């Protein structure tokens, strides 16, 4: 068994917390993962993990060694990427996180065409509205909406995005059009509720200052796509991203209000940990998405790569 496999399996087991979870990622059995750890510990002559019925925990030496191993694996991948940067056949396994609704609409549909360009590359996606820790959870990159960037991360803007208040023409004809953010108190506001979410308030700008207005409604959930569907049904008004509603705005199915108070554009961004060499698989996917998103007419349901 080669040292690289032992080290990679050790890091993966430490991150997942069990042989079973790590084995699922590796595509082997838990017994194989256990044998790899045994071989590594025998070769080093130290115990790296405590095994118990409650799971696996790193020893003090294991805590030190796992950080060194993570860096070794990064350097190994970077070395490979620097050599293959000019190759057209990008290889490896690209693991990407993205918001659920955005991923379904604007990442997943483009994966087959990107994969066709790079047949030796394996792609894995996790579409969730929770913000994941890319390093500890084993992701190569994420697509995120907004300008906030964690320390030690790089963010590449892909396309501008704004949040706007919107609803159907029928809703506003029946309930009236809000003229100021405070008027939202008289409207059925359909808000995202994950970890407090939008019920803490929708953001606006008044006289150059950002303000937050508390909203309320008779429907809320933690799924942006469902909220958007409720808005399209005319059940209330929403605070939605322009990436999501452009085609409905173009067709007149939805209209925006309070545009004079809308916060400035932020960005749809590709985010990844800082590293000495950017892996070719990440660079190629970022470049591909940027090209797709910047096609004329794309956000209105126009052409796609």
């Amino acid at each position: 068994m080669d040292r690289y496999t032992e080290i990679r399996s050790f890091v993966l087991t430490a991150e997942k917390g069990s042989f079973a979870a790590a084995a699922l990622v590796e595509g082997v059995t838990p017994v194989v993962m256990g044998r790899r750890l045994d071989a590594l510990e025998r070769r080093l002559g130290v115990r790296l993990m405590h095994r118990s019925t409650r799971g696996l925990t790193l020893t003090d030496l294991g805590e030190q060694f796992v950080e060194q191993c993570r860096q070794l694996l990064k350097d190994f991948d970077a070395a490979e990427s620097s050599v293959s940067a000019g190759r057209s056949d990008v290889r490896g396994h690209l693991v990407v996180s993205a918001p659920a609704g955005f991923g379904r609409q604007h990442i997943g549909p483009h994966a087959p065409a990107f994969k066709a360009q790079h047949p030796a590359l394996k792609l894995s996606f996790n579409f969730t509205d929770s913000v994941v820790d890319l390093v500890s959870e084993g992701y190569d990159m994420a697509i995120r909406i907004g300008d906030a960037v964690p320390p030690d991360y790089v963010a590449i803007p892909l396309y501008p995005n704004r949040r706007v208040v919107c609803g159907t023409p029928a809703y506003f004809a029946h309930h009236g059009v809000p003229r100021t953010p405070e008027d939202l108190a008289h409207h059925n506001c359909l808000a995202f509720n994950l970890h407090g979410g939008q019920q803490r308030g929708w953001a606006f700008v008044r006289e150059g200052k950002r303000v937050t207005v508390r909203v309320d409604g008779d429907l809320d959930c933690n799924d942006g796509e469902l909220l958007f569907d409720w808005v399209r049904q005319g059940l209330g008004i929403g605070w939605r991203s322009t990436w999501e509603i452009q085609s409905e705005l173009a067709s007149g199915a939805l209209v925006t209000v309070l545009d004079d108070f809308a916060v400035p554009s932020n960005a749809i961004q590709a985010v990844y940990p800082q590293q000495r060499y950017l892996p070719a698989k990440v660079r190629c996917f970022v470049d591909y998405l940027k090209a797709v998103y910047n096609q004329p007419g794309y956000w209105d349901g126009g052409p796609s790569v």
Side-chain angles (χ1 to χ4, degrees):
M1 186 186 308
D2 64 272
R3 294 184 178 185
Y4 175 82
T5 300
E6 291 176 356
I7 289 174
R8 185 189 64 217
S9 297
F10 165 60
V11 171
L12 185 59
T13 301
E15 291 173 347
K16 297 299 182 181
S18 73
F19 291 132
L24 285 174
V25 177
E26 282 285 88
V28 297
T29 66
V31 172
V32 170
M33 297 300 288
R35 288 173 178 169
R36 290 177 182 177
L37 179 60
D38 290 341
L40 179 61
E41 289 180 330
R42 282 197 304 271
R43 183 163 55 79
L44 296 176
V46 298
R47 177 59 62 91
L48 297 174
M49 284 187 166
H50 296 298
R51 300 157 173 81
S52 71
T53 56
R54 291 179 295 179
L56 300 171
T57 57
L58 290 165
T59 65
D60 290 341
L61 285 173
E63 290 277 6
Q64 299 173 30
F65 190 56
V66 75
E67 292 304 321
Q68 295 172 324
C69 288
R70 284 195 180 104
Q71 188 58 52
L72 284 171
L73 294 175
K74 287 181 180 179
D75 289 344
F76 185 90
D77 290 341
E80 284 195 333
S81 296
S82 66
V83 171
S84 63
R87 294 168 56 108
S88 59
D89 56 335
V90 177
R91 297 176 178 272
H93 185 191
L94 179 65
V95 187
V96 182
S97 173
F102 187 87
R104 284 191 290 266
Q105 292 184 47
H106 298 293
I107 297 179
H110 307 302
F114 179 73
K115 182 70 173 65
Q117 292 183 12
H118 306 286
L121 183 66
K122 179 180 178 180
L123 296 171
S124 293
F125 298 101
N126 177 22
F127 296 153
T128 173
D129 289 319
S130 298
V131 177
V132 301
D133 186 317
L134 300 186
V135 175
S136 66
E137 297 189 40
Y139 292 92
D140 295 296
M141 59 174 287
I143 303 300
R144 292 181 178 166
I145 315 295
D147 295 327
V149 181
D152 301 324
Y153 279 69
V154 175
I156 305 297
L158 301 178
Y159 199 81
N161 175 69
R162 283 191 0 175
R163 277 194 177 275
V164 293
V165 178
C166 62
T168 63
Y171 174 91
F172 292 121
H174 188 266
H175 297 280
V177 176
R179 303 298 178 185
T180 69
E182 286 71 24
D183 291 343
L184 294 174
H186 308 295
H187 287 268
N188 195 36
C189 298
L190 309 179
F192 192 73
N193 67 12
L194 183 64
H195 304 311
Q198 295 174 11
Q199 290 179 320
R200 294 177 180 171
W202 293 356
F204 300 93
V205 172
R206 179 187 284 113
E207 298 178 353
K209 295 183 179 179
R210 188 181 180 100
V211 296
T212 301
V213 176
R214 293 291 297 270
V215 298
D216 194 18
D218 59 11
L219 288 169
D220 63 73
C221 72
N222 67 345
D223 185 281
E225 193 168 341
L226 180 57
L227 281 174
F228 183 34
D229 188 53
W230 288 341
V231 172
R232 287 183 294 192
Q233 292 181 50
L235 302 178
I237 58 178
W239 190 44
R240 310 308 305 164
S241 289
T242 51
W243 64 258
E244 186 178 34
I245 66 172
Q246 281 301 111
S247 61
E248 283 76 12
L249 294 179
S251 69
L254 293 177
V255 295
T256 63
V257 296
L258 301 176
D259 291 344
D260 290 341
F261 299 93
V263 296
S265 296
N266 51 30
I268 300 165
Q269 302 188 108
V271 177
Y272 51 83
Q274 289 183 358
Q275 47 206 300
R276 188 178 305 170
Y277 301 105
L278 179 63
K281 59 186 180 181
V282 174
R283 173 179 51 78
C284 288
F285 194 56
V286 171
D287 290 346
Y288 184 84
L289 291 180
K290 182 179 283 190
V292 170
Y293 298 160
N294 285 274
Q295 290 182 100
Y298 171 79
W299 298 100
D300 298 326
S304 61
V305 170

